[in-house]
């Protein structure tokens, strides 16, 4: 029987005890996963060395495709190919006012489902598919189970959208360490939170232009906390609009009228490629069937002017909201693939009167910041202060007249507990409705309802005599607990809030069932990873032994052992657990023999006694 290994105190532990945190940027257009490896935040790639996973899910008759393979079906089979599912997360049907090609099902108050050939699918389930792909990518790349993940969300996401994101992670067995605001993640990636020499508060602007969305956030870093001062943006402004403007220009150049869908799609691809090339070249040639032209950076700047201008207008508004001038911004960070366009960088530089930070790849920066936070949260980071998380929106309850009493204001660091006293409104009132809401508005009707519960059994008293203490408690995971206690009689009631976004009972049940389905796959994945880790450990141990004692083997024996070792190493690249186990068995035949030889020699040696020189030589061997 193999002995269990115990690591030396203070030494890094065996891979088994290694805690792995990953950072996930679950984007509208593209998603990424990253992890801190040997102290460096690193994007994890798939087998084809791709970093970006297009956020696209396609349902075939009996399979689910995610990413690049799904992308091929966007124009061919739109209703079974979901793009930009992030726009639907935690939204009710009534919230969805933008154009989309999908058939949705559900009542106005519910988060709707997409009707696909595999039945109806909620946004949570579809996002879960993207998360599952990223989780598997991470496990493959790291050869290890994932302890937990930090997932980024836009700063303006409300509790329902955040909860939907958490639920998606839960469906695939991903432990969410924290949801992190995307702009905060970008600031962390640049280490803006580690600048401890600066005592004063710092203001940062994060300009994020992605594929189809624009977000600008103003953050203040103060006493170890990033506070969101203001956010703004546009839910339909991004790289796709730039592509459309280029297409329009090219059609004018070529004097083309309306194009067939296929040709139109082709021209969009050409425009996109030209735009992306122009970030490194001053001019590009463009060929579309018999037409030919060229495009340079100055022309591109003119063509995309409408997009650039609109983003700067939003920046102006947001700075005004934050009550800051451009000069008071200490750093500007560029995020999102579209900020690679030089004309965009110029516009940002001019507006903020400073060189924006863009040394970190703008479509990777958010995932990298999330990875740094994840690494800290699983307890791996020795240095750096851990950022506190804050409540994204204010939490409060309804008081008379449909007014909101804020109990925990927005941007309060969590965990937090706040207590406030309330009283009855009527003489003889024996019950009280506690209506918990979230939002920044003063009227209940403008805020989002999180929960309602009743405190009953209040002894009849004159109005205003009862003392009801209501406690709001947000734990480190962001879960809200509300309790109410009438202090003269000690009657109490409480509720734990999983903020609702209108999931029906039926949906909840179905999601649970599907959770079991994923659990099966998760179990298989875990077994595979465990087998791999075990085999890897065997290989390492054997290699170390060979370095010292290979001379004990005949040339032929050494040859056999080494080739069995190679075969095992080779199988580790596959996902086939049977093959790996077989290779381990095969190796065992030779390695056991070798182990026996070593044992004999060591007993021999021990009987003779070890001379100091031998011991020293042995140590040197080990150090090699
Ligand atoms: P999202 O945050 O919406 O998921 P990304 O940050 O990944 O999106 O940005 C995707 C957009 O970035 C696409 O419109 C793509 O064309 C654009 N993009 C990628 N590379 C470049 C480049 N080199 N130059 C200009 N735009 C680019
Ligand atoms: Mg993004």
């Amino acid at each position: 029987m193999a002995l269990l290994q115990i690591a030396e105190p203070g030494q890094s532990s065996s891979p088994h005890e290694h805690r792995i945190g990953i950072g996930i940027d679950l984007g509208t257009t593209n998603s990424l996963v990253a992890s801190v490896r040997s102290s460096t935040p690193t994007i994890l790639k798939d087998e084809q060395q791709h970093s970006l996973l297009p956020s696209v899910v396609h349902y075939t008759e009996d399979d689910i495709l995610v990413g690049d393979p799904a992308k091929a079906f966007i124009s061919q089979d739109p209703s079974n190919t979901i793009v930009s599912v992030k726009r639907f997360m935690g939204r009710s049907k009534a919230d969805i006012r933008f154009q989309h090609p999908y058939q949705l099902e559900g009542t106005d108050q519910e988060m709707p489902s997409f009707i696909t050939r595999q039945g109806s699918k909620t946004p949570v389930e579809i996002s879960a598919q993207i998360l599952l792909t990223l989780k598997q990518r991470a496990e493959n790349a790291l050869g290890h189970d994932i302890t937990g993940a930090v997932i980024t969300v836009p700063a303006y996401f409300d509790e329902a959208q955040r909860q939907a994101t958490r639920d998606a992670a839960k469906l695939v067995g991903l432990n969410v360490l924290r949801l992190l605001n995307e702009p905060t993640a970008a600031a962390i990636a640049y280490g803006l939170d580690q600048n401890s020499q600066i005592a004063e508060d710092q203001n940062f602007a994060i300009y994020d232009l992605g594929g189809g969305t624009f977000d600008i956030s103003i953050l203040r870093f103060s006493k170890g906390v990033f506070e969101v001062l203001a956010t703004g943006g546009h839910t339909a402004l991004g790289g796709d609009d730039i592509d459309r403007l280029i297409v329009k220009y090219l059609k004018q150049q070529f004097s083309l009228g309306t194009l067939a869908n296929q040709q139109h799609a082709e021209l969009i691809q050409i425009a996109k490629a030209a735009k992306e090339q122009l970030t490194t070249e001053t001019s590009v040639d463009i060929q579309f069937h018999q037409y030919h032209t060229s495009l340079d950076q100055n022309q591109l700047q003119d063509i995309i002017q409408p997009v650039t201008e609109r983003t700067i207008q939003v920046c102006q508004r947001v700075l005004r909201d934050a009550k800051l001038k451009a000069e008071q911004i200490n750093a500007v960070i560029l995020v999102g693939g579209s900020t690679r366009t030089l004309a965009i960088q110029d516009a940002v530089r001019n507006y903020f009167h400073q060189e924006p930070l863009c040394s970190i790849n703008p479509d990777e920066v958010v995932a990298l910041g999330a990875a740094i936070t994840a690494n800290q949260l699983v307890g791996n980071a020795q240095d750096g202060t851990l950022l506190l998380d804050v409540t994204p929106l204010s939490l409060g309850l309804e008081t008379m007249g449909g007014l909101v009493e804020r109990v925990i204001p927005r941007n309060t660091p969590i965990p937090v507990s706040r207590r406030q006293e309330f009283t009855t409104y009527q003489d003889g009132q024996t019950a009280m409705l506690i209506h918990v809401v979230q939002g920044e508005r003063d009227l209940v009707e403008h805020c989002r309802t999180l929960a309602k519960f009743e405190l009953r059994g209040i002894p009849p008293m004159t109005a205003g005599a009862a003392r009801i203490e209501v406690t709001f408690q947000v734990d480190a995971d962001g879960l809200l607990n509300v309790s109410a206690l009438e202090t003269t009689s000690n009657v109490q009631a409480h509720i734990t809030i999983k903020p609702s976004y209108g999931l029906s009972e039926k949906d909840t049940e179905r999601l649970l069932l599907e959770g079991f389905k994923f659990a099966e796959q998760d179990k298989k994945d875990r077994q595979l990873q465990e087998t791999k880790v075990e085999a890897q450990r065997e290989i390492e141990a054997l290699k170390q032994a060979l370095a010292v004692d290979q001379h004990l083997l005949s040339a032929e024996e050494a040859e056999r052992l080494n080739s069995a070792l190679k075969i095992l190493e080779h199988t580790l690249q596959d996902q086939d657990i049977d093959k790996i186990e077989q290779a381990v068995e095969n190796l065992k035949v030779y390695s056991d023999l070798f182990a026996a030889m070593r044992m004999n020699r060591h007993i021999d040696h021990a009987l003779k006694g070890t001379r100091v020189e031998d011991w020293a030589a042995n140590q040197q061997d080990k150090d090699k």
Side-chain angles (χ1 to χ4, degrees), residues 27-30 210-212 239-240 272 275-276 279 336-338 340-341 363:
T28 311
T29 318
N30 295 302
D240 298 344
K272 194 190 278 288
K275 164 188 84 174
E276 294 183 2
T279 56
S338 297
R340 289 235 185 79
T341 298
D363 38 38

Side-chain angles (χ1 to χ4, degrees), residues 347-361:
V348 175
R349 185 181 300 115
N350 288 339
Y351 179 68
F352 287 98
H353 309 297
Q354 59 186 295
E355 197 54 45
L357 298 175
C358 60
S359 58
I360 303 177
N361 200 337

Side-chain angles (χ1 to χ4, degrees), residues 131-165:
L131 288 175
L132 182 63
T133 307
L134 293 173
K135 179 183 175 223
Q136 287 168 344
R137 179 188 288 191
E139 284 166 348
N140 289 340
L142 300 168
H144 206 281
D145 280 351
I146 307 304
T147 314
V150 168
I151 303 179
T152 59
V153 291
Y156 59 79
F157 254 28
D158 67 18
E159 201 58 38
Q161 291 167 299
R162 285 165 198 262
Q163 189 58 37
T165 308

